[in-house]
Amino acid sequence: MLARLGRAAALAGLLVLPDPAWAVDAPTSEEGQALDVRRLAPEQRRRLLAGDTIAYPVLETSETELGAGVAMYLAVPLSRAAEVLTSSDVILKDPSITASGLIPAGATVAALHGFKLAAGEIGEAQDALDAAAGARFNMAPPEITVFRAAKGTVRSTDRAPVLDAAAGQWHALLLERAQAFQVRGLEGIAPYARRSGTTDPAALLRVAAGDARIIASLAPRLGEALLRYPAEQSPTAISHIYWVKRQVQGRPTPLLIQHLVDVTPALALYVERQFYVGNTYNASQILCAAVPYEDGVLILSSNRVSTDQVAGLGGEMKRLLGRRQLRSEIVKRFDRIRAALVRPLGPPDRVESP
């Protein structure tokens, strides 16, 4: 039973349970404490200024959602934090990402040619060409049809053509979904076919847009902008769409990511929306913001993921483990942000004796 729960909790690229040592930086309560960027509680302020990361709750609205929030304080100016947070390196330099590329407006399938399936991924390629409604792959019925049709163009024993056929179908799927999102936003996201019904990744992203309320005093229209994208966007916001190949639970996973950034004198913001995920989980959003605080910045991250793996029997325990995993992943990203922002001090200069 515990082994099954452990496997189910290893979602969204969260492959192992977090290091127990991180518990030093987390509150003992699973619910955490609400975070108000305008006025932190005294204990939150004390811990942040001492260098701790603190957890805060992100409300979940269904049995397939996981939410977690983490904040930290860094003694750097907002302008420096903005340089790092608005860089695509924040999302694309994740160690689990093996390839990525930009999909600009008007792109052709050539923009996806960097997505390849290696010889060791032949099983994944064969499975994709055999795709069916279910949890193995996240595809709409028309996408399943074209993958299965492509199977008829190659012999299963010819490894290179099988790999090329599967990769070619992923190119077409990713481009079509990226273009639909660029034109219609959340309304352009096709649901995934399951054996009994569908799963709608856009539903998670609609809920996740509400996470903008934590910075509503600084970006009052952000939640609405996320819901209405590409319409009615902030004049200072910049949005890019990337394809990504990521290793998740040992599988090559194709993703489409919107990276939206916005910088004002009072806020540096990025929102990462994984609006298409090829397998393992359904969708994800990370909302990360830096705001001036004391002599530096308060950096907070509200993360939300949708996965069928935490529903059903034992769901509460699976969600408990999943939230811990999610917070651990936030802290890993914070470590990368911290490393980019704060140059460690080197050893003192050696003074030679006369």
Side-chain angles (χ1 to χ4, degrees):
M1 176 66 174
L2 289 176
R4 289 199 301 271
L5 292 178
R7 286 193 297 272
L11 45 91
L14 315 180
L15 305 183
V16 293
L17 285 174
D19 185 342
W22 182 74
V24 173
D25 289 336
T28 56
S29 167
E30 274 302 316
E31 296 303 316
Q33 185 177 5
L35 187 71
D36 184 345
V37 297
R38 296 166 300 182
R39 185 176 181 180
L40 295 177
E43 180 61 13
Q44 289 175 324
R45 178 183 181 279
R46 183 195 66 78
R47 297 187 67 232
L48 284 167
L49 295 181
D52 291 349
T53 55
I54 63 170
Y56 61 88
V58 172
L59 181 65
E60 298 161 5
T61 64
S62 76
E63 67 173 358
T64 60
E65 278 181 43
L66 293 172
V70 175
M72 71 174 176
Y73 169 79
L74 290 177
V76 298
L78 179 63
S79 59
R80 178 71 182 112
E83 291 177 11
V84 172
L85 291 183
T86 59
S87 168
S88 61
D89 287 353
V90 170
I91 59 174
L92 299 181
K93 294 299 184 182
D94 188 294
S96 66
I97 292 177
T98 59
S100 63
L102 180 68
I103 306 180
T108 67
V109 73
L112 281 300
H113 281 176
F115 180 92
K116 302 179 186 299
L117 293 174
E121 296 166 341
I122 184 66
E124 192 73 19
Q126 291 169 331
D127 286 350
L129 296 179
D130 279 324
R136 177 70 179 167
F137 289 99
N138 294 330
M139 296 183 188
E143 295 164 342
I144 292 172
T145 298
V146 296
F147 267 80
R148 295 181 71 88
K151 180 183 178 181
T153 67
V154 294
R155 293 190 301 178
S156 60
T157 55
D158 293 340
R159 297 171 67 90
V162 168
L163 291 167
D164 290 343
Q169 293 308 311
W170 280 121
H171 296 167
L173 181 154
L174 292 170
L175 180 62
E176 184 175 340
R177 282 188 174 260
Q179 291 175 335
F181 184 77
Q182 287 168 327
V183 173
R184 301 178 57 209
L186 299 183
E187 297 300 320
I189 300 177
Y192 308 145
R194 299 295 189 238
R195 289 194 179 95
S196 56
T198 61
T199 291
D200 183 9
L204 180 278
L205 298 177
R206 290 189 179 94
V207 171
D211 294 342
R213 69 175 64 89
I214 197 170
I215 53 171
S217 61
L218 301 170
R221 299 181 59 83
L222 175 60
E224 187 67 18
L226 292 174
L227 290 173
R228 296 183 61 81
Y229 173 87
E232 299 183 21
Q233 299 300 290
S234 164
T236 54
I238 301 172
S239 178
H240 293 296
I241 305 298
Y242 295 94
W243 66 263
V244 166
K245 183 183 177 188
R246 183 184 181 199
Q247 288 296 315
V248 182
Q249 296 185 19
R251 296 180 64 188
T253 302
L255 297 101
L256 291 171
I257 296 176
Q258 179 193 20
H259 184 218
L260 183 149
V261 301
D262 200 356
V263 178
T264 70
L267 174 71
L269 166 77
Y270 84 78
V271 181
E272 174 188 337
R273 295 201 284 185
Q274 298 183 13
F275 61 91
Y276 176 72
V277 183
N279 59 60
T280 312
Y281 59 108
N282 302 325
S284 175
Q285 177 180 290
I286 299 173
L287 187 155
C288 187
V291 300
Y293 185 73
E294 298 282 341
D295 295 323
V297 291
L298 173 67
I299 301 179
L300 56 96
S301 183
S302 295
N303 293 28
R304 193 181 293 270
V305 65
S306 167
T307 172
D308 298 336
Q309 295 185 27
V310 297
L313 184 64
E316 188 53 45
M317 178 59 73
K318 289 184 281 189
R319 286 189 290 275
L320 175 68
L321 295 174
R323 287 183 209 110
R324 291 176 179 172
Q325 292 284 96
L326 195 54
R327 283 198 296 269
S328 179
E329 288 298 305
I330 303 172
V331 171
K332 290 176 184 177
R333 180 168 292 203
F334 271 10
D335 287 343
R336 295 197 298 273
I337 293 172
R338 192 194 305 266
L341 283 171
V342 181
R343 179 178 299 175
L345 294 175
D349 293 336
R350 183 177 177 183
V351 178
E352 297 290 344
S353 299

